[in-house]
Amino acid sequence: MTQTPTRAEFLGPFLAAASEPSAVRARILLIGNERDIVQEEIDRALEAVSQAETVGDWSCEILAEGSAILNLAIKYDISLDWLITGDLRALRRMKRPASAW
């Protein structure tokens, strides 16, 4: 008899993939395009992501004062939960700029 996987076991691979640097880069590009963010700011955030192998490698750097990713999130009111982990509930809570409607 096989046991039904727990929610964490079932979602584990998906959540891990959503936090991969390539997925984070894609979300940065997506939000940058949607909100007309200056290319220099996007490039700085992408550079910060590309210097890491996994989210665990740079999670502390994200919250460090002056971090390009943290500055981007604060300036443009972007949820770090969504940006870093792909949490769709956090995406729903984000304010959308008037130009996005």
Side-chain angles (χ1 to χ4, degrees):
M1 177 182 269
T2 59
Q3 187 176 20
T4 304
T6 65
R7 183 175 188 273
E9 290 170 337
F10 182 77
L11 292 177
F14 171 76
L15 294 176
S19 296
E20 286 295 314
S22 60
V24 176
R25 282 192 294 275
R27 286 190 290 275
I28 290 171
L29 291 171
L30 177 73
I31 200 78
N33 183 45
E34 178 184 290
R35 299 195 181 182
D36 294 324
I37 296 174
V38 178
Q39 189 62 43
E40 283 182 353
E41 292 178 276
I42 294 171
D43 291 343
R44 282 193 297 270
L46 292 172
E47 178 64 27
V49 173
S50 67
Q51 294 176 355
E53 294 294 318
T54 64
V55 170
D57 291 344
W58 49 277
S59 60
C60 291
E61 295 173 26
I62 292 168
L63 299 176
E65 187 174 339
S67 157
I69 295 172
L70 182 61
N71 289 343
L72 186 76
I74 291 169
K75 182 173 182 179
Y76 294 98
D77 198 23
I78 302 168
S79 165
L80 280 174
D81 287 336
W82 174 74
L83 194 60
I84 304 305
T85 67
D87 182 347
L88 295 177
R89 291 173 294 190
L91 176 62
R92 287 182 46 198
R93 290 189 300 265
M94 281 194 316
K95 295 177 189 171
R96 299 192 74 173
S99 61
W101 296 106

